[in-house]
Amino acid sequence: MHGPSPDTLHPFNGEPHTVFLKNVITRPTIEVGDFTYYNDEAHAAEFESRNVRYHFDFIGDRLKIGRFCALAQGTTFIMSGANHAMTGFSTFPFNIFCDAWRETFDPATIFGHLKGDTLVGHDVWFGANATVMPGVTICSGAIIGANAVVASDVPPFAVVVGNPARVVKLRFDEDTIDRLLEIAWWNWPVEKITRHLVAIQGADLGALEAAAAEDNSRLDAVGQAG
């Protein structure tokens, strides 16, 4: 028993509208985990150039997306290169247009307030046309509503909507969330995930915890037999 290969470019019956995202990423400043997919009727394979905006190597910020994330059409990440200087009276980027204007540029006016890497955990679902602003951390299990603009960090298993995005609820109580983060099924080998899809997709936490403990039980049994 096994699932699809994470190296498959078009995992949805070969249709070009869906890609396992890591297979269309070429830049070392973008990292995407296995089985995370992007769906776009016309431009799925162009995610790197169309949906990661203002991502310049000289800035140095990184985009990291975990495993088993689902990105609907139009999910966009605004990176730190979008920032303009805000320390003076004007925010106009004079320095990018000609040499005479570059001479007066003070890099600290921009680099001094950059927010760093944009981080997405595992099993995060992005609704259509969601936008993530620079330096945001979205924790595992979160749901990002359609058209949401995420400008601040999102807790694990939170549902956020709106502009700016706000938490409208947690998907589970705090104890359940802690236990789910401890289980971290998204880190299991794909063979184990395939065996326990019913528990992963279900709502019986005890069954999922039993599945998580399965390999330890087998190792204990092998050790005792030896």
Side-chain angles (χ1 to χ4, degrees), residues 18-40:
T18 301
V19 295
F20 275 160
L21 197 49
K22 75 167 192 174
N23 300 308
V24 298
I25 298 300
T26 65
R27 301 182 60 182
T29 49
I30 303 176
E31 300 176 24
V32 180
D34 288 348
F35 305 106
T36 285
Y37 73 84
Y38 176 57
N39 174 267
D40 188 315

Side-chain angles (χ1 to χ4, degrees), residues 143-174:
I143 296 175
I144 311 302
N147 299 303
V149 177
V150 185
S152 57
D153 293 350
V154 178
F157 293 92
V159 179
V160 300
V161 300
N163 180 9
R166 67 191 189 284
V167 176
V168 293
K169 68 176 183 178
L170 296 178
R171 296 175 57 197
F172 309 104
D173 62 76
E174 291 186 6

Side-chain angles (χ1 to χ4, degrees), residues 35 50 64 84 96 114 179 201:
F35 305 106
R50 295 177 64 91
K64 299 181 181 181
H84 291 205
I96 71 173
L114 297 183
R179 291 161 71 181
Q201 295 176 308

Side-chain angles (χ1 to χ4, degrees), residues 100-163:
W101 286 357
R102 289 190 184 99
E103 294 175 1
T104 62
F105 175 58
D106 178 3
T109 60
I110 292 179
F111 287 94
H113 60 268
L114 297 183
K115 296 184 177 181
D117 296 342
T118 298
L119 306 175
V120 178
H122 309 283
D123 192 26
V124 176
W125 173 22
F126 291 86
N129 300 311
T131 300
V132 181
M133 301 303 288
V136 166
T137 294
I138 300 174
C139 294
S140 297
I143 296 175
I144 311 302
N147 299 303
V149 177
V150 185
S152 57
D153 293 350
V154 178
F157 293 92
V159 179
V160 300
V161 300
N163 180 9

Side-chain angles (χ1 to χ4, degrees), residues 140-218:
S140 297
I143 296 175
I144 311 302
N147 299 303
V149 177
V150 185
S152 57
D153 293 350
V154 178
F157 293 92
V159 179
V160 300
V161 300
N163 180 9
R166 67 191 189 284
V167 176
V168 293
K169 68 176 183 178
L170 296 178
R171 296 175 57 197
F172 309 104
D173 62 76
E174 291 186 6
D175 178 66
T176 299
I177 290 173
D178 289 342
R179 291 161 71 181
L180 288 170
L181 293 175
E182 178 68 23
I183 292 168
W185 64 263
W186 41 78
N187 290 329
W188 295 354
V190 66
E191 294 82 4
K192 180 172 180 176
I193 289 172
T194 303
R195 287 198 307 273
H196 297 293
L197 278 181
V198 171
I200 293 170
Q201 295 176 308
D204 184 340
L205 186 54
L208 188 58
E209 288 177 323
E214 175 192 79
D215 289 346
N216 291 335
S217 299
R218 288 183 177 180

